[in-house]
Amino acid sequence: MEEKTFHKNPIIKDIYTADPAPMVYKDTLYLYTTHDEDVLINDFYTMNDWRCFSTKDMVNWTDHGKIFSIEDIAWAEDRAWAPQAIERNGKFYLYCPVHKKNGGIAIAVGLSDKPEGPFTDLGYPLVDEGDWNDIDPTVYIDDDGQAYLYCGNPELRYVLLNEDMISYNKEVGVVKIPMTVESFAKGSHDTGTSYGEGPWFYKRNNLYYMVYAAFEEGKHIEHLAYSTSKSPTGPWVYGGVLMTDKDGVFTNHPGIADFKDHSYLFYHTGQLPGGNLFHRSVCVAEFKYNDDGSIDTVEKCDGVSKV
């Protein structure tokens, strides 16, 4: 057979996936996703588990199947929404927002000794404020060892994770980021800014990035935008549109990773047969940073080449 040198979007073609969360570990890129079920319940997002896929070259992908599910979380009702995974001291932590029984949205943590899982529930929520804000957790461990977990819709919040990665500094508590136009641009979401949800937090060359799903003024479909800071806790400065809403669905979700000297933006669309706002598909585009750390708008694309 001819060697495969290009992988066409969407990355996964046999099920609907969304909310991509890449994690590079050793020589492999692991991609964690949500899973849109084929059959909807109450004409709403029907999502019961999280999936994992991996690659060593961006074109050949291994499907690790279901790695964690609502059924594994005794205190959760439903809504297996956007996760992110991270490794620390040889352990792997999968942070997931779920609908708590008789409550709002809370952050669950799955634990595993392997990046591809399976994951076991911590047994209780990590963050539970009793409201519906705590969705889409994103986590990053800074060079000094301090770990941060951001989350939030409609406003952005963070906690300082302890070294065990399953608890946070209760004295500092849950810190709310000021939702200003300077930080997130003027937009049509609930805070009056463009920030909507799906934050993705990381650092590159001493500059901190917050990439997120955003709503332009007068728009009710998400594009991707980003802000930067010289500190992990802000103040944030709006950077611009990362990906437009063209050819998108109601939601989008960024995931960014550097892998083998290439930079990738993962996102989702509705481009598989039967695709729509409830049946999404994860895609990827390669991009480059400018010398000053800024990022030009990335176009949705056909796919990526082998590395």
Side-chain angles (χ1 to χ4, degrees), residues 182-237:
E182 292 76 17
S183 293
F184 303 107
K186 192 173 182 180
S188 62
H189 203 43
D190 292 357
T191 63
T193 72
S194 72
Y195 175 86
E197 57 187 353
W200 187 267
F201 175 53
Y202 67 102
K203 181 171 71 171
R204 186 179 185 274
N205 293 339
N206 296 317
L207 190 64
Y208 296 88
Y209 290 80
M210 187 68 66
V211 186
Y212 50 92
F215 290 92
E216 186 181 343
E217 285 188 276
K219 290 288 191 75
H220 299 283
I221 179 174
E222 292 178 344
H223 66 277
L224 300 181
Y226 77 99
S227 301
T228 61
S229 175
K230 295 180 180 179
S231 161
T233 57
W236 295 96
V237 178

Side-chain angles (χ1 to χ4, degrees), residues 155-156 158 175-181 183-184 193 233-236:
E155 61 185 10
L156 190 60
Y158 73 85
V175 182
K176 298 183 178 182
I177 294 294
M179 304 304 293
T180 66
V181 171
S183 293
F184 303 107
T193 72
T233 57
W236 295 96

Side-chain angles (χ1 to χ4, degrees), residues 264-296:
Y264 296 99
L265 167 64
F266 294 82
Y267 58 98
H268 65 235
T269 67
Q271 68 191 76
L272 276 183
N276 53 43
L277 72 165
F278 300 128
H279 291 138
R280 299 159 294 178
S281 299
V282 167
C283 300
V284 62
E286 185 175 355
F287 73 96
K288 294 184 182 297
Y289 293 87
N290 297 319
D291 291 341
D292 63 356
S294 63
I295 310 172
D296 296 330

